Amino acid sequence: MSQSMTDDLSYLRDLAESGQNAPLLGGRFLAWWGGLAAIAYVCHYVIASGTLGFGPEAYMWLWTAFGVLGFGGFKIMQMTFPSSKPGASSAGNKISATVWMAGGMVLFSFFAGVIIRSIMQGQASIGFLWSVPFVLGVYGMCQLTAGLLGKSRILMLAGWGAIASSGVAALFAGSNLIWLVGAVVAAATVFLPGILLMRQEPSEIV
């Protein structure tokens, strides 16, 4: 057997072993974004339903706060993340982080386009009405992919649940109830799995 083939096989073996049984360590990030999204969706419902008498300008304050708190908290967690956690450099964790980064970029691009369109036409774009099914679909694909590659049954179930809920949310498009659907699904398929993954994380290596 040639040296190059031996090196290739060795590389593939090391890649497979690096992700074998390695715990997924992104639970804190899932819990943060999932919990924040659920709260934001409930607040959006309260504004849309007129329960507390807030005007349309409240939407801007709500989602601006969501962005600032979300990214601020995310960066703080990134900077304070313990690099000594076992499995931090595994293939499963690296792929999971990449998948969610791609999902985040998709959502950023989508909402940037919707916001620009709203400014151009002087009123809220119809894209906002369909954002919940779209967001849940992205959640589902990211959770399912990370779960399959990281061998996490929790994430696989969460992924399938979010994907199925995308269609359910579409049934409520145009109704204020769609925001409550989004809140429930974000809590059940992102926040809760994040908490469960955190409970399974190993201790730091001292």
Side-chain angles (χ1 to χ4, degrees), residues 6-23:
T6 301
D7 292 341
D8 288 343
L9 291 175
S10 177
Y11 169 76
L12 291 174
R13 184 184 68 250
D14 292 342
L15 182 62
E17 290 177 350
S18 72
Q20 186 175 12
N21 301 321

Side-chain angles (χ1 to χ4, degrees), residues 24-39 66 70 73-74 77-78 81 93 96-97 99-101 104 138-147 152 154-156 158-159 162 185-201:
L24 294 178
L25 306 176
R28 67 197 64 200
F29 302 107
L30 293 178
W32 173 250
W33 282 111
L36 200 61
I39 293 172
F66 173 83
F74 174 72
M77 285 190 289
Q78 271 190 324
F81 184 81
N93 279 295
S96 178
V99 166
W100 273 103
M101 180 184 69
V138 172
Y139 285 171
M141 288 188 288
C142 290
Q143 292 287 62
L144 181 59
T145 301
S152 170
I154 292 174
L155 293 189
M156 284 190 282
V185 178
T189 66
V190 183
F191 173 75
L192 181 58
I195 296 296
L196 295 177
L197 286 186
M198 289 177 65
R199 291 172 60 88
Q200 294 179 357
E201 286 185 9

